[in-house]
Amino acid sequence: MRKSYRVKSEKAFGRVFNEGKSKANRQFVVYALGKEQPHFRVGISVGKRIGNAVTRNQVKRRIRQAIFELKPEIRPNLDFIVIARKPTATMDQASVKHSLIHVLTKAHVLTENPPTPIKSDSRSEHRE
């Protein structure tokens, strides 16, 4: 994701925290604030409670990848921050994306028709 798609400065983070609305599920907290801009911006926060630096960076990469995949469905006039909670340390990519879709839908960050996650059916993979 390009730098123009990121909330980086402490001032911008603080503004979204103080003025934005929050929604949460067990894995993530999302703060969202509407703004007049051509595209959305996202900030990702993964605290030290999640684990060591390697674990925190893995979680951030998974969140970034999920957001990249959801990019067409994200409303363009928003700044939002995704805060990871402790259970994200043990989640795989599919679980992160599924949980992120849930919380972003609750926070009205995604457009009206959110994508439905594809669940693999092990029985259908082995049929001939």
Side-chain angles (χ1 to χ4, degrees), residues 25-40:
N25 63 10
R26 290 182 187 268
Q27 294 83 18
F28 298 105
V29 179
V30 172
Y31 286 85
L33 179 65
K35 291 187 75 176
E36 291 299 321
Q37 56 196 11
H39 56 78
F40 69 88

Side-chain angles (χ1 to χ4, degrees), residues 15-118:
R15 187 164 181 215
V16 175
F17 278 127
N18 295 330
E19 298 175 21
K21 303 285 185 202
S22 68
K23 295 290 180 183
N25 63 10
R26 290 182 187 268
Q27 294 83 18
F28 298 105
V29 179
V30 172
Y31 286 85
L33 179 65
K35 291 187 75 176
E36 291 299 321
Q37 56 196 11
H39 56 78
F40 69 88
R41 294 189 315 163
V42 63
I44 299 172
S45 176
V46 180
K48 287 188 177 182
R49 281 191 219 168
I50 304 296
N52 62 17
V54 173
T55 304
R56 293 193 309 268
N57 285 326
Q58 286 173 342
V59 169
K60 285 189 271 188
R61 279 195 302 270
R62 288 183 186 126
I63 294 170
R64 268 191 234 108
Q65 180 62 34
I67 290 172
F68 178 77
E69 292 172 7
L70 295 171
K71 189 175 173 181
E73 285 85 23
I74 296 175
R75 290 182 23 214
N77 58 343
L78 288 176
D79 279 357
F80 65 98
I81 296 174
V82 177
I83 302 170
R85 289 182 166 173
K86 196 154 179 80
T88 57
T90 58
M91 293 170 65
D92 63 345
Q93 180 63 38
S95 301
V96 167
K97 185 175 179 183
H98 181 72
S99 181
L100 209 51
I101 288 171
H102 175 256
V103 74
L104 291 176
T105 303
K106 281 177 65 172
H108 303 290
V109 171
L110 296 180
T111 55
E112 296 300 316
N113 299 323
T116 54
I118 300 170

